[in-house]
Amino acid sequence: MGDDVFYFDNDAVTTKVLDNNKNELGTLQEYLFEGKTVTSGSVTNIKHSGVYKIKGLSGLPSEIPSNQYSILEVKAIGNQDNPDVIFYKVTSPSGVSKEMTVSGSNQSGWTLGGVQLQNAINNLDSQVGELRDLETGNKSSLVNAVNELQSKIDTVNDNTDSVNSALNEYKKHNHDDRYIRKTGTGDSFKGTLVFENGANLAFRSSTGTAPSVISRNGNNLVFGNGEMGLNIQSKGDVYLNGQKVVTTGTNGLNADKVGGVDANLYARKDQNNDWSGVQTYSNAAPLRFVVGNVQGSAIPIQFMSAKSNKGNVGYISKSDGDGMSISPDGNNELLGLYSDRVYTTGNLEFAGGTEKDIRFGNGHMGFYFKEDANGRLGAWDWYKNRLIWRYDTDTNYVEMGEAPKWQGRRLFLQDGLPTNVEIPYGSIWIGF
């Protein structure tokens, strides 16, 4: 004021948090960094936003130990002494997490979260199993699989009723010369001979057994058996589904070769394959890997050491959620790609070049690091081409692009009186 110069030092320890009546609740250090310690009373008595270090409070879920410190996160909107809505999240030292919302006298109750929710989901997955392991034809859902089984049961019941009805009619019929005799010779059958589902045509072998010659297995018609050889003879060519079965040379059709190449050189869907040649995909169709719901249950892409041809280098697989995981060992996710985020459990490093940017939204704002003689880390508004804040390693202090704002008031450090800018009531201007 006048020619006098005033300096104000401030930090998180000396900054006090007050309620509406100016009563001191604690320091900014407690509410933002260390956690405000509370060891008595009910958890719902806490109504101010912040981080709390709690132990022995009533109203907590039974999974939260009362003799150990836990983390309580509180977010409240409205009047700070009587908020409209309060969100509570408590996390125990073992990773159990519960959440609750309170609005006036209404409480949502504690809901599951954190490690306990993940364990419950994993347990449910292990109990239900995989849809693809169903023996039914329809594997799209459990309901469709059960409906398929019920349909087959209904069909079997209908067939059983039909057979029983025919058997009763057969028992009432007089046996006469319209039936083929077991010991007859030269009898001609003029009608259509129909075998019921599961029946077969068999011939007595030289050893006295009666192996099946023609039978039905599901929707397949089976010729032959494992006891006798099969010799198909025909006058002229043999056709299968209207296509001629081609045989050449004295050995006929060679089932061990395809296009003159040994069949063992082709990849099989039901076995592990070792690809020694370069595979090129020229069409636009995607290359798909269908994996399990549990991370580690199916690893579609695995990288191994080129020197020893063993030892895992890394994996690319499906993550726990609906995303893709890059992992060094198949279990610990190092990098996850999801529809709404990129997740990593390690360090994210940007190397090469002189400046690296991390931009948000449409690239309007974000962070940058310029690797020059000083080494600068800052936030920038590319849309308006202006500095938000910057830290230089040579100066070891933070530079702000505009006058900062604390608790609704701004601090201006400039020669002239601030003009054409937002100046809330209670702001401070220090001139030079």
Side-chain angles (χ1 to χ4, degrees):
M1 303 179 117
D3 294 331
D4 295 329
V5 179
F6 295 87
Y7 294 93
F8 297 91
D9 291 329
N10 200 0
D11 55 31
V13 176
T14 59
T15 302
K16 306 298 183 180
V17 178
L18 309 178
D19 61 13
N20 286 344
N21 296 321
K22 308 301 182 181
N23 296 317
E24 182 178 331
L25 300 176
T27 66
L28 188 63
Q29 179 77 11
E30 293 176 307
Y31 276 89
L32 288 184
F33 304 107
E34 296 178 349
K36 175 68 175 178
T37 301
V38 181
T39 58
S40 63
S42 173
V43 67
T44 56
N45 290 341
I46 301 175
K47 301 181 182 298
H48 294 83
S49 297
V51 179
Y52 294 83
K53 177 181 178 183
I54 63 170
K55 181 174 70 173
L57 300 187
S58 61
L60 292 173
S62 58
E63 295 87 349
I64 304 301
S66 60
N67 59 348
Q68 293 179 283
Y69 281 109
S70 298
I71 301 174
L72 176 65
E73 301 173 61
V74 179
K75 297 180 180 179
I77 60 173
N79 188 300
Q80 64 172 330
D81 291 334
N82 188 22
D84 297 326
V85 180
I86 310 175
F87 172 75
Y88 298 91
K89 179 178 180 181
V90 59
T91 304
S92 73
S94 63
V96 174
S97 180
K98 291 295 186 74
E99 300 174 352
M100 180 177 66
T101 302
V102 175
S103 178
S105 60
N106 298 321
Q107 296 186 9
S108 66
W110 293 102
T111 57
L112 193 61
V115 173
Q116 199 170 12
L117 176 58
Q118 183 62 56
N119 291 338
I121 294 174
N122 292 340
N123 186 46
L124 180 61
D125 282 343
S126 63
Q127 292 177 355
V128 175
E130 302 285 347
L131 289 176
R132 63 182 178 185
D133 294 334
L134 289 170
E135 297 295 335
T136 58
N138 195 326
K139 305 177 188 293
S140 59
S141 69
L142 290 177
V143 172
N144 290 334
V146 173
N147 289 341
E148 177 185 329
L149 293 177
Q150 182 62 49
S151 177
K152 292 182 178 180
I153 292 173
D154 293 340
T155 301
V156 172
N157 290 337
D158 292 341
N159 291 337
T160 301
D161 294 340
S162 178
V163 171
N164 290 335
S165 177
L167 180 60
N168 291 333
E169 292 297 323
Y170 172 78
K171 291 179 180 179
K172 298 176 183 179
H173 200 282
N174 293 326
H175 294 67
D176 52 27
D177 58 3
R178 287 178 295 178
Y179 297 92
I180 298 178
R181 293 171 295 174
K182 291 176 59 177
T183 58
T185 57
D187 287 348
S188 296
F189 191 82
K190 299 179 180 179
T192 300
L193 182 61
V194 178
F195 290 86
E196 289 295 329
N197 188 24
N200 59 74
L201 178 63
F203 289 93
R204 186 76 62 187
S205 69
S206 59
T207 59
T209 62
S212 172
V213 176
I214 301 176
S215 63
R216 177 180 176 179
N217 183 6
N219 292 327
N220 297 318
L221 187 62
V222 181
F223 287 88
N225 54 73
E227 295 187 27
M228 298 183 294
L230 181 63
N231 185 358
I232 300 177
Q233 297 187 9
S234 171
K235 182 181 178 180
D237 296 326
V238 177
Y239 291 84
L240 177 64
N241 291 334
Q243 302 296 323
K244 185 169 64 173
V245 178
V246 180
T247 60
T248 59
T250 58
N251 294 327
L253 181 65
N254 189 347
D256 295 329
K257 290 181 178 294
V258 179
V261 180
D262 289 339
N264 58 11
L265 296 179
Y266 290 91
R268 290 181 52 177
K269 294 173 62 177
D270 61 337
Q271 290 186 353
N272 296 332
N273 297 285
D274 186 3
W275 301 80
S276 57
V278 176
Q279 310 302 316
T280 302
Y281 299 90
S282 301
N283 59 11
L287 183 62
R288 295 179 177 176
F289 297 92
V290 180
V291 300
N293 290 330
V294 179
Q295 187 178 12
S297 65
I299 305 299
I301 302 178
Q302 176 182 358
F303 296 91
M304 305 180 69
S305 172
K307 294 182 179 179
S308 61
N309 197 28
K310 64 180 180 179
N312 299 326
V313 177
Y315 299 84
I316 300 177
S317 65
K318 183 183 183 299
S319 66
D320 287 340
D322 291 332
M324 185 177 69
S325 170
I326 299 177
S327 169
D329 57 7
N331 294 309
N332 299 312
E333 183 179 61
L334 179 62
L335 179 65
L337 303 179
Y338 299 88
S339 62
D340 59 347
R341 67 190 187 281
V342 177
Y343 169 79
T344 179
T345 58
N347 297 323
L348 188 61
E349 297 184 7
F350 297 88
T354 58
E355 181 172 324
K356 297 89 179 177
D357 299 336
I358 301 177
R359 304 190 182 191
F360 302 98
N362 294 324
H364 290 175
M365 289 189 293
F367 300 100
Y368 74 93
F369 176 74
K370 189 170 185 179
E371 191 166 349
D372 53 14
N374 297 332
R376 299 175 181 178
L377 174 66
W380 190 268
D381 184 349
W382 282 276
Y383 182 73
K384 295 184 178 179
N385 193 29
R386 62 186 182 183
L387 177 69
I388 301 175
W389 60 263
R390 178 177 65 197
Y391 168 76
D392 292 355
T393 57
D394 61 337
T395 60
N396 196 28
Y397 60 74
V398 176
E399 177 183 349
M400 305 297 293
E402 297 291 340
K405 187 176 184 180
W406 287 280
Q407 296 180 321
R409 298 168 177 84
R410 300 183 67 180
L411 174 61
F412 295 90
L413 302 175
Q414 61 188 61
D415 291 340
L417 178 68
T419 59
N420 299 323
V421 295
E422 178 191 9
I423 306 177
Y425 179 78
S427 299
I428 298 175
W429 166 50
I430 300 177
F432 301 96

